[in-house]
Amino acid sequence: MSLSVSRHRCAHRFGFGCSPKDILFWQTQTATEGLQTQMELFLKHQKIRKATEQSVLEQRATHVFETSDVKEKAHLRHQYYKQDAVERSRRAILSDLPFIERVVFFWSNHFTVCADRRETLITCGPFENYAIRPHILGSFADLLKAVIRHPAMLLYLDNTTSTGALSQLGRRSGKDVNENLAREILELHTLGNPSVYTQADVRSFAQSLTGWSVNRQGQFRFRAARHSPEPKEFMGRKVDGNGREEAEDILLFLAHHPATRRHVCLKLCRHFLEDTPKEEDIRYLEEIYQKTAGRLRDLYLGIAEIFEQKHDRQQKYQTPNEFMISALRTTGLTLSKTDGVQTLKLLGQPPYQAGSPAGWSDLAKDWVSGDLLKRRIEWSYSIADLIERRYSAETLLAQSLGQLASEKTKFLVKNAPTQQAGITLILTSPEFQRR
């Protein structure tokens, strides 16, 4: 069973490579139909999902807090981190809904929280699973609010102790506002364009966010004693000092601002279509965003429509995370055979450790280098050693790339000296490295 070129590209572009079950799925689906099907199935799964974030975070926070030994505390935090990192990879490798996992990764990167401090080591996984995952098919406004209220984001960008100078606590202590969260929301999460807002707007927004904090159980808590109560002005709008709601009102305003619409649509086009998106494609998505008030599932379908009309579009280069998942998914290997956390560290993209709130780059130029390619080749060779008795290289080539494989790649694989060498050539071929 094989796929047409366009449907093989769907499997790579909107998922993670082409496993046997991906071939079955895309056999009768266009890009739009495939995404629609996966989104409907995801919504059904969400309705029966019973796990609660409160129990997860509270259990972790209590476990760490009640452990008296400093070294044991550190061990517990890293244990939770590795557990979350392995689970996110495992889910993407085994999922019947790879598009959903790709979208979760996209938004998790857009709203980056780094596991580079003790507070966020135990919250990155819950942040992705409970702030991002449930909202990926809803409105951008709802996703934005859920993300900013989450303890992981509040801790990561130092908002938990941000104190208004005129607040009850500020008057007594002399403490002042921390602008980190406000600045990153404007610069990275929403408006993007620095010409749209001023430093005074950053300051004002930061004052509105004072009081957004976290309790000892790892849950959101509004601390009125830290909140800056005075009236404010933000981007030409009067903002009443009405507690928690004033920051929520600003987030809603930002979600529907034209600059946010532009920024979000540009990033979606860059991720799913090409590194330098065409202006007409960005504007098409902007129109959908405006008509639907930022309903994300409609934006994804808009991308699929563009993709269907332009199959010759330049392919995207896979990040290390995408490459590892695609390779394992395609070959049928699981993380029991390879350490996913160490693999991603080796390949240059350790889980939840982008290093800054800007997240990982989505551009090929930042991932194409001799050293990084050498690491991919060496890792692919080790993977090929695990499966050479299960697959012939030519069988894997037909499954994984089909008609996407160039004549050069076919020749090299056919004439490889060993099955292990042939499988390595497939995984490191230009066609597999791109999606």
Side-chain angles (χ1 to χ4, degrees):
M1 188 178 293
S2 61
L3 294 175
S4 66
V5 171
S6 62
R7 287 176 178 170
H8 228 120
R9 282 180 176 162
C10 286
H12 286 266
R13 186 65 60 90
F14 297 111
F16 299 99
C18 208
S19 67
K21 63 182 176 182
D22 293 318
I23 291 178
L24 286 173
F25 178 82
W26 287 106
Q27 194 77 165
T28 58
Q29 308 254 19
T30 64
T32 303
E33 292 167 345
L35 269 55
Q36 185 72 56
T37 298
Q38 290 195 38
M39 290 191 289
E40 289 173 359
L41 288 171
F42 173 71
L43 290 173
K44 289 180 181 178
H45 293 169
Q46 282 293 105
K47 288 180 181 178
I48 62 174
R49 187 181 174 96
K50 299 296 184 182
T52 61
E53 178 188 25
Q54 184 171 356
S55 63
V56 173
L57 280 175
E58 187 170 343
Q59 180 186 42
R60 291 184 177 190
T62 301
H63 194 187
V64 173
F65 179 74
E66 291 180 349
T67 302
S68 57
D69 186 81
V70 175
K71 289 185 178 179
E72 182 61 20
K73 281 180 183 286
H75 174 72
L76 281 174
R77 292 187 184 103
H78 282 89
Q79 194 174 41
Y80 282 129
Y81 160 76
K82 185 169 183 179
Q83 174 184 315
D84 291 336
V86 169
E87 175 58 24
R88 80 192 298 243
S89 294
R90 187 199 66 81
R91 183 187 285 119
I93 293 164
L94 299 177
S95 179
D96 291 329
L97 309 175
F99 171 69
I100 295 299
E101 300 309 317
R102 175 169 288 285
V103 170
V104 170
F105 286 158
F106 170 82
W107 289 116
S108 184
N109 192 54
H110 180 80
F111 295 109
T112 287
V113 169
C114 294
D116 58 1
R117 57 177 68 182
R118 64 185 186 181
E119 296 90 347
T120 53
L121 277 169
I122 67 171
T123 56
C124 281
F127 172 71
E128 189 171 84
N129 289 328
Y130 299 102
I132 292 176
R133 184 175 292 274
H135 298 94
I136 58 170
L137 301 186
S139 71
F140 180 74
D142 288 344
L143 173 61
L144 178 65
K145 180 180 175 181
V147 162
I148 303 307
R149 278 175 50 96
H150 195 275
M153 184 65 76
L154 296 172
L155 288 163
Y156 177 52
L157 292 177
D158 306 307
N159 205 76
T160 56
T161 57
S162 183
T163 305
L166 299 181
S167 67
Q168 296 175 30
L169 182 59
R171 288 194 184 98
R172 296 198 307 268
S173 66
K175 292 184 177 180
D176 201 358
V177 66
N178 186 304
E179 298 178 359
N180 288 354
L181 179 59
R183 179 175 292 104
E184 304 306 353
I185 292 173
L186 298 178
E187 180 182 342
L188 300 175
H189 303 157
T190 59
L191 304 175
N193 186 349
S195 68
V196 177
Y197 60 92
T198 65
Q199 172 56 30
D201 292 321
V202 174
R203 180 81 178 172
S204 179
F205 187 22
Q207 289 172 332
S208 292
L209 285 164
T210 52
W212 282 41
S213 190
V214 180
N215 63 19
R216 183 168 287 179
Q217 289 72 43
Q219 301 298 312
F220 173 85
R221 179 179 177 183
F222 179 71
R223 300 184 184 276
R226 290 186 181 276
H227 183 68
S228 187
E230 73 277 12
K232 309 163 188 72
E233 183 174 310
F234 175 74
M235 295 182 68
R237 302 168 72 248
K238 298 295 183 182
V239 179
D240 295 328
N242 60 350
R244 185 179 74 181
E245 291 76 15
E246 67 181 82
E248 293 178 347
D249 291 343
I250 291 175
L251 289 175
L252 184 61
F253 165 76
L254 289 171
H256 296 292
H257 194 281
T260 298
R261 187 164 67 231
R262 171 77 183 187
H263 183 56
V264 169
C265 292
L266 169 62
K267 290 196 70 173
L268 282 168
C269 285
R270 181 180 293 149
H271 180 79
F272 284 102
L273 298 176
E274 56 189 332
D275 285 6
T276 307
K278 292 179 172 55
E279 181 64 26
E280 63 195 67
D281 296 339
I282 301 171
R283 288 182 178 175
Y284 180 64
L285 280 197
E286 285 187 84
E287 291 173 5
I288 295 174
Y289 191 115
Q290 187 170 18
K291 289 177 182 176
T292 65
R295 195 164 75 159
L296 299 175
R297 64 182 300 171
D298 291 301
L299 293 176
Y300 309 147
L301 293 175
I303 289 170
E305 291 172 14
I306 297 170
F307 177 80
E308 288 173 342
Q309 295 166 11
K310 304 173 182 179
H311 292 309
D312 60 343
R313 187 168 297 281
Q314 177 188 354
Q315 293 176 312
K316 292 281 298 180
Y317 190 78
Q318 294 203 81
T319 65
N321 182 53
E322 294 168 342
F323 169 64
M324 183 194 77
I325 292 170
S326 296
L328 295 178
R329 188 178 172 90
T330 298
T331 57
L333 289 174
T334 64
L335 289 178
S336 63
K337 298 291 185 182
T338 181
D339 187 328
V341 176
Q342 284 302 114
T343 294
L344 288 174
K345 185 176 181 180
L346 168 72
L347 297 177
Q349 195 178 16
Y352 303 124
Q353 293 184 21
S356 84
W360 297 105
S361 171
D362 219 351
L363 301 175
K365 67 180 180 63
D366 295 313
W367 297 113
V368 178
S369 74
D371 178 57
L372 290 176
L373 181 57
K374 179 175 178 286
R375 297 185 201 181
R376 293 193 187 200
I377 293 170
E378 291 173 345
W379 181 75
S380 297
Y381 192 72
S382 69
I383 289 299
D385 181 51
L386 297 173
I387 65 166
E388 63 176 336
R389 293 177 182 85
R390 187 189 310 178
Y391 285 102
S392 73
E394 290 189 75
T395 299
L396 185 62
L397 179 65
Q399 172 206 300
S400 62
L401 295 176
Q403 297 179 55
L404 292 180
S406 66
E407 291 303 318
K408 181 179 180 180
T409 296
K410 292 176 185 177
F411 175 82
L412 290 172
V413 171
K414 184 177 181 179
N415 292 279
T418 64
Q419 291 298 313
Q420 184 178 11
I423 293 169
T424 303
L425 285 166
I426 294 168
L427 298 180
T428 57
S429 67
E431 301 93 304
F432 194 91
Q433 292 296 310
R434 295 183 177 274
R435 59 176 177 86

